[in-house]
Amino acid sequence: MTSDPSPTTTRSHEIEQWLHMYEQMFKIRVFEEQVDELYKTAKMPGLAHLYIGEEGVAVGVCEALRRDDYITSTHRGHGHCLAKGAKLDRMFCELLGRAPGYCGGKGGSMHIADQEMGNLGANAIVCGSAGIATGAAFSAKWR
């Protein structure tokens, strides 16, 4: 016979989860502020569509996903990528056009993807990720 977890254990777990989610949102905000600075000082090629103010959406959704779940994104994909587990250094490399980036430095801000974490990529076309998501869902179901 198993007993229910004690209220103290449950509360402690909730606090840890809330702190983790807050840290994730904070990490995304600081990242985006740095991206904005890189863009404003012309150190980053291309455009940057920031995710500032939307951090809770990506973190809330990605916390409910498993590692093997897939996501796609929009032209504001940095938050989704980070919330799904992308590494900061590889994100910055991608945005700066460097080879160690997730897409070899060729995707830039609006086309960033992290295949290992199930992030099928951002897309600069309005509703462009709908086709990607549909294809991924079909592929997963077929397999």
Side-chain angles (χ1 to χ4, degrees):
M1 176 176 198
T2 60
S3 62
D4 291 331
S6 72
T8 305
T9 305
T10 302
R11 182 74 176 137
S12 176
H13 179 69
E14 284 178 4
I15 291 170
E16 284 181 37
Q17 186 176 21
W18 285 108
L19 285 173
H20 170 72
M21 290 174 18
Y22 178 78
E23 288 169 356
Q24 288 286 88
M25 290 186 289
F26 185 75
K27 176 174 71 174
I28 293 168
R29 173 62 64 100
V30 171
F31 177 84
E32 292 294 78
E33 289 171 347
Q34 292 298 310
V35 169
D36 191 35
E37 186 63 28
L38 289 169
Y39 179 71
K40 286 179 180 176
T41 58
K43 294 178 183 166
M44 186 180 93
L47 299 172
H49 295 279
L50 303 177
Y51 202 71
I52 290 177
E54 302 171 17
E55 299 89 348
V57 176
V59 171
V61 167
C62 289
E63 283 298 310
L65 300 175
R66 296 183 320 251
R67 181 182 164 96
D68 62 340
D69 284 331
Y70 294 116
I71 65 167
T72 62
S73 191
T74 66
H75 62 290
R76 298 183 191 276
H78 306 161
H80 303 126
C81 206
L82 290 168
K84 190 73 166 82
K87 297 189 178 359
L88 289 170
D89 57 345
R90 291 191 67 192
M91 289 281 292
F92 277 118
C93 283
E94 186 60 38
L95 298 181
L96 294 170
R98 307 282 189 247
Y102 280 104
C103 302
K106 296 181 181 341
S109 176
M110 289 186 279
H111 302 284
I112 198 158
D114 179 4
Q115 302 290 322
E116 292 175 20
M117 295 303 291
N119 181 351
L120 302 177
N123 196 307
I125 299 169
V126 175
C127 296
S129 60
I132 296 168
T134 302
F138 178 78
S139 173
K141 186 173 181 170
W142 189 73
R143 281 183 274 131

